[in-house]
Amino acid sequence: MPEFVASLPAESPLRGKYGQPPEYVMQWLLPVGAVVAGVLLLLSGAPAAGVLLLTVGAGLGFLFSRLAAAAEEARERWARSLYCRQCPATFPREDAVTV
């Protein structure tokens, strides 16, 4: 797929359709901030709010890491893909049949 996209003219609408998926940039500020605020609330005497913020921070960290992994997997799958000009379809390199 990278070779196919590189061979397209710059103004081709297929560049948008078959281009490389965007990279996901991890946003750690929100989960880390929630965890720090949760610890501060736990230490200041508000255990319910502290536990809630700790849980939210951990959940957001997990969610963001899964989104980053899914985006990286999509980019790797795109790099391994081939494009057939005969039947306009994309498929994994492993499934390629030599004719």
Side-chain angles (χ1 to χ4, degrees):
M1 187 65 84
E3 297 86 10
F4 171 69
V5 173
S7 71
L8 293 172
E11 64 276 352
S12 175
L14 293 178
R15 278 190 175 267
K17 183 177 180 180
Y18 294 113
Q20 187 173 19
E23 185 176 357
Y24 183 79
V25 178
M26 287 290 293
Q27 301 293 325
W28 287 106
L29 185 60
L30 187 60
V32 170
V35 168
V36 168
V39 168
L40 290 175
L41 284 174
L42 279 174
L43 295 175
S44 70
V51 169
L52 178 65
L53 274 177
L54 282 173
T55 305
V56 166
L60 285 175
F62 178 75
L63 174 68
F64 290 167
S65 68
R66 298 299 299 158
L67 289 174
E72 185 60 32
E73 200 277 321
R75 290 170 61 86
E76 289 173 4
R77 188 175 346 110
W78 177 83
R80 291 188 322 262
S81 295
L82 296 174
Y83 178 77
C84 177
R85 293 178 190 239
Q86 298 284 328
C87 63
T90 59
F91 53 92
R93 190 175 302 268
E94 300 83 33
D95 294 345
V97 178
T98 306
V99 183

